[in-house]
Amino acid sequence: MKNFIALLLCVMACYAYGQEKKYVTVKKSYPVMGGEFDITVVSEDEELGYIYMQEALAEAQRIEKLISAWEEDSETSLINKNAGIKPVHVSWELYKLIERSIQISEITNGAFDITFTALNDIWLLDGTMEKIPTSIEIQEVKHKIGYKNIVLNNKDQTVFLKKKGMRISFGGIGKGFAADKAKALLVSKNVKAGILNIDGDITTWGTKVTGDKWLIGIVNPDLKGGISSWIPILESSVATTGGNGNFIMSGNKKYTHIINPKTGYPATGINSVSVFAKSAELSDALATSIFVMGIDAGLALINQLGDTEVIVVDSANKMYKSNGILLK
């Protein structure tokens, strides 16, 4: 009898294995949040995969509308319009994002600050700026900056910017936030695996159809763009902030689009920062922060945080990495 049961269980197991679902990989890119949203999902069939991708896109677009400082009717715009006037009731989702942004400001000693936005009025790093702002112009704007002037009321779920002319924006965290939200939506729908990339903010879950881990290529500056190493990304995220986006040259000096909210001047000395963390949101915010903080302070911070690593390439194309990064 025992042998019969064992044989029956074996047959059932073999049958189940034979009926195992076959999965396919579906990929597509969409424009979103001023960049490209590359979506890869592992699905039971191609048609269902495209449905999942449309749902992920819709979620990213929803987040874009929520956090946009350009859309007149967004919650973020409403907060900015009422700076120095009155608190604004916002959704719990946006309230918590602002709360987390303030926490990151605190651990980075202000290198990350969502109130830096006013500096964009004088640093037009889109090619339209004809001269570098004067120190007087920068000082006039700096008084509108400071995350400590954001007042959160948890009970009423309101956000208040203390000073008139203050504005918040989520350029250093918003794409990571959107990637995390799109991932959470697909995971809730039991999508087996995928990798989402919003303009360099990447998050993954599960594995490839083959069972292999998702891999991120690390560019070696000495190889002029060649991949020197591959790092497996399992249930994790990575975000890269680079100084090769919008910038201007004045004399022999390069001014990047990443502005130091404490000095009012663009950050210098670094070409790129890639942060590996559990969430794309945290990776995004820390990558921006370290670009501003500099190599030594940035590495010191990351080496104190759990489950977080970083690779930094300076302006001389020299690579630095945190203690947990092992490159082959």
Side-chain angles (χ1 to χ4, degrees):
M1 183 66 176
K2 288 182 179 180
N3 290 338
F4 174 77
I5 293 175
L7 178 61
L8 178 61
L9 290 174
C10 179
V11 170
M12 291 175 64
C14 292
Y15 177 81
Y17 180 82
Q19 295 299 310
E20 187 176 348
K21 293 179 181 178
K22 299 293 184 180
Y23 290 91
V24 297
T25 302
V26 188
K27 304 177 182 179
K28 195 168 183 179
S29 295
Y30 304 89
V32 72
M33 303 183 83
E36 287 294 314
F37 185 11
D38 300 323
I39 308 175
T40 301
V41 295
V42 175
S43 177
E44 296 173 19
D45 60 64
E46 189 171 296
E47 183 178 355
L48 188 57
Y50 280 112
I51 291 173
Y52 289 142
M53 288 193 292
Q54 286 295 327
E55 292 177 329
L57 174 63
E59 179 68 353
Q61 291 171 331
R62 183 185 72 81
I63 295 300
E64 181 177 20
K65 183 174 178 60
L66 175 71
I67 66 176
S68 172
W70 303 105
E71 293 201 27
E72 289 291 321
D73 60 346
S74 73
E75 291 186 12
T76 301
S77 292
L78 192 59
I79 293 170
N80 292 339
K81 289 175 184 176
N82 286 279
I85 301 173
K86 65 178 181 179
V88 174
H89 179 81
V90 298
S91 63
W92 187 243
E93 192 173 32
L94 184 63
Y95 183 92
K96 295 302 289 185
L97 175 62
I98 295 172
E99 185 178 67
R100 293 192 301 274
S101 296
I102 293 173
Q103 291 169 352
I104 294 171
S105 296
E106 290 172 344
I107 68 172
T108 61
N109 193 29
F112 180 85
D113 193 332
I114 59 174
T115 69
F116 81 95
T117 316
L119 286 165
N120 287 335
D121 295 338
I122 57 174
W123 286 101
L124 306 176
L125 298 169
D126 57 0
T128 62
M129 188 167 66
E130 298 180 353
K131 65 181 181 68
I132 301 300
T134 66
S135 58
I136 293 176
E137 290 173 326
I138 290 173
Q139 290 303 318
E140 287 176 348
V141 172
K142 276 183 64 180
H143 81 277
K144 302 175 185 177
I145 298 165
Y147 70 92
K148 292 183 179 179
N149 290 312
I150 304 174
V151 180
L152 299 182
N153 185 314
N154 189 70
K155 181 181 178 182
D156 297 332
Q157 204 171 300
T158 59
V159 180
F160 177 54
L161 306 181
K162 285 183 180 181
K163 297 182 178 182
K164 284 191 175 182
M166 279 187 71
R167 303 201 306 275
I168 60 172
S169 62
F170 300 96
I173 195 172
K175 291 177 182 177
F177 175 55
D180 284 339
K181 296 295 290 186
K183 170 184 172 179
L185 176 67
L186 295 185
V187 170
S188 73
K189 294 179 176 292
N190 297 316
V191 178
K192 180 180 175 65
I195 179 167
L196 308 179
N197 178 359
I198 301 184
D199 209 27
D201 290 359
I202 300 169
T203 189
T204 73
W205 72 104
T207 62
K208 300 178 183 179
V209 171
T210 60
D212 296 326
K213 298 175 182 177
W214 303 107
L215 297 175
I216 300 295
I218 302 300
V219 175
N220 186 333
D222 294 332
L223 297 179
K224 297 182 179 180
I227 300 296
S228 63
S229 300
W230 294 90
I231 295 180
I233 304 295
L234 184 63
E235 308 293 338
S236 190
S237 305
V238 59
T240 297
T241 294
N244 293 323
N246 290 337
F247 66 90
I248 62 167
M249 297 295 297
S250 179
N252 293 322
K253 194 167 185 179
K254 177 181 178 180
Y255 291 88
T256 71
H257 68 290
I258 301 167
I259 301 175
N260 185 333
K262 299 173 70 176
T263 66
Y265 287 87
T268 60
I270 291 178
N271 276 349
S272 70
V273 178
S274 297
V275 173
F276 302 78
K278 288 296 183 184
S279 73
E281 176 188 301
L282 181 60
S283 300
D284 191 6
L286 288 178
T288 303
S289 303
I290 294 169
F291 203 102
V292 170
M293 295 170 72
I295 297 167
D296 292 340
L299 288 173
L301 172 64
I302 293 298
N303 285 330
Q304 294 177 57
L305 298 176
D307 298 322
T308 308
E309 303 294 343
V310 67
I311 295 174
V312 183
V313 177
D314 70 12
S315 55
N317 276 339
K318 183 178 179 181
M319 183 184 291
Y320 302 80
K321 57 188 179 63
S322 55
N323 295 337
I325 292 287
L326 300 175
L327 299 179
K328 298 180 180 180

